[in-house]
Amino acid sequence: MSRLTGKYALITGGTSGIGLETARQFIAEGATVAITGRSASGLTAAGETLGDVVLLHNDAGDIGQQPVLAAQLAKSWPRLDILYINAGDVTHLPLQEWDEQRYDQLMNTNLKGPLFLIQALLPLLGNPASVILCGSVSAHIGLAQSSVYAASKAGILSLARSLSAELHPRGIRVNGLSPGPTATPALGKLGLPAQAEQELREEIHALVPIGRMGTALELAKAAVFLASDESSYMVGSELLIDGGVGNLARS
C-alpha cells in the first residue's frame, strides 16, 4: 500500500483513539508521520506502538505553542503535505454547569488553536497539500449536553469551507472529516459521573441507525482517503462517517 508514499503528515492529538489509528494507517501507506499530544507518557506509549514516528509535545489549546510546533517541523521537514487537526476537547455538560473558563478551554482547543496552527504552518504547506479538520456529527444534531462542543465543531466545519476558498489557489485543499459515535477512549473523558456517562452512552448508541458505534479504523481509513490524491476533487467538503446519524437531522 503506497497511497501516501513520499508525503509528510502531521496529526494533532495522535496518542490514542482515531488519531493513533490514523497515524498507524498513514505510516502503512508510506507517509512520514509526526503526532502531537499533551501527555509525555501518552506520546511515549504511542511511539512504542507506532515505531517510526516523530513525537511532538504540544497543547492544541495553547495558542503560543502553535508557532513553536511549526518551527520544529520546519527544521527537519522540507514541507508538509498532510495536516490532520484531530486533537479535541470532548467535554459535555448541562447548560447550567458551563463557566467561562471551561468554555474558553474547549473553544481554544477545538477552534482557536487549529486556526492559529494552520496559520503558523502555512509557509510549510506544500502544493498540493491536504488539510483535514475533525468535525463531528454533533454539529448537525441536537444532542443533550453537547451545546458548546457541537458549536465548536460547527465552527471548525465552517472554517474548512471558508479556508478552502482562500487556500485552494495555493494548491491546499481543506476538508472536514466528521465522526459519528465512535468507540474510543474519548467517551471516558467527558467529565461526567459514572451513571451520567453510561446514560449518555446508551443515548448515543440508540441514535445510530445501523445499531452500532463506529471504529477508529473506519475513521482512519476515511482520513487516508482525504489525505491521498484520490480525493483531489474534494474541496471545502465534509465527509460524514456516522452510521447514518446525520440522516436523522435531515429527515
Side-chain angles (χ1 to χ4, degrees), residues 10-24 33-38 42-43 45-47 49-50 53 55-56 58 84 86-88:
L10 171 64
I11 301 170
T12 68
T15 60
S16 67
I18 295 169
L20 180 64
E21 185 57 42
T22 300
R24 193 190 330 269
V33 176
I35 63 171
T36 74
R38 288 186 300 177
L43 280 169
T49 297
L50 296 170
V53 65
L55 306 175
L56 299 169
N58 176 264
Y84 182 19
N86 173 73

Side-chain angles (χ1 to χ4, degrees), residues 20-249:
L20 180 64
E21 185 57 42
T22 300
R24 193 190 330 269
Q25 296 304 315
F26 279 10
I27 292 169
E29 292 284 353
T32 300
V33 176
I35 63 171
T36 74
R38 288 186 300 177
S39 164
S41 60
L43 280 169
T44 299
E48 293 172 351
T49 297
L50 296 170
D52 189 13
V53 65
V54 178
L55 306 175
L56 299 169
H57 189 266
N58 176 264
D59 182 347
D62 185 333
I63 309 309
Q65 289 188 28
Q66 310 321 309
V68 175
L69 175 59
Q72 287 177 299
L73 285 177
K75 285 181 181 179
S76 54
W77 284 5
R79 65 187 181 279
L80 182 62
D81 302 296
I82 303 160
L83 171 61
Y84 182 19
I85 302 284
N86 173 73
D89 185 325
V90 297
T91 302
H92 286 54
L93 290 171
L95 176 60
Q96 63 270 24
E97 293 186 22
W98 281 99
D99 56 36
E100 187 174 4
Q101 181 179 359
R102 281 175 165 169
Y103 176 93
D104 287 343
Q105 179 178 318
L106 185 146
M107 284 294 182
N108 285 347
T109 300
N110 292 1
L111 186 57
K112 187 175 179 181
L115 171 69
F116 286 100
L117 177 58
I118 296 168
Q119 181 190 70
L121 289 169
L122 193 56
L124 190 60
L125 283 165
N127 181 359
S130 175
V131 176
I132 307 165
L133 304 185
C134 183
S136 171
V137 72
S138 293
H140 301 283
I141 61 175
L143 183 65
Q145 302 189 29
S146 72
S147 55
V148 179
Y149 173 75
S152 74
K153 291 304 184 179
I156 201 74
L157 290 169
S158 177
L159 188 66
R161 289 189 293 271
S162 55
L163 285 182
S164 70
E166 186 171 343
L167 299 181
H168 80 79
R170 303 177 58 150
I172 301 170
R173 297 184 296 112
V174 187
N175 290 290
L177 175 56
S178 292
T182 307
T184 73
L187 280 177
K189 301 176 183 178
L190 299 179
L192 299 173
Q195 182 177 350
E197 181 184 326
Q198 181 58 34
E199 290 173 355
L200 181 60
R201 284 177 183 271
E202 292 172 0
E203 181 181 352
I204 291 173
H205 192 275
L207 285 174
V208 186
I210 67 170
R212 67 170 178 86
M213 299 180 79
T215 68
L217 179 59
E218 287 170 320
L219 269 298
K221 292 292 189 181
V224 169
F225 168 71
L226 287 176
S228 76
D229 295 338
E230 293 174 2
S231 62
S232 58
Y233 201 51
M234 287 188 68
V235 179
S237 298
E238 178 189 10
L239 187 56
L240 266 170
I241 309 296
D242 68 348
V245 176
N247 292 333
L248 301 178

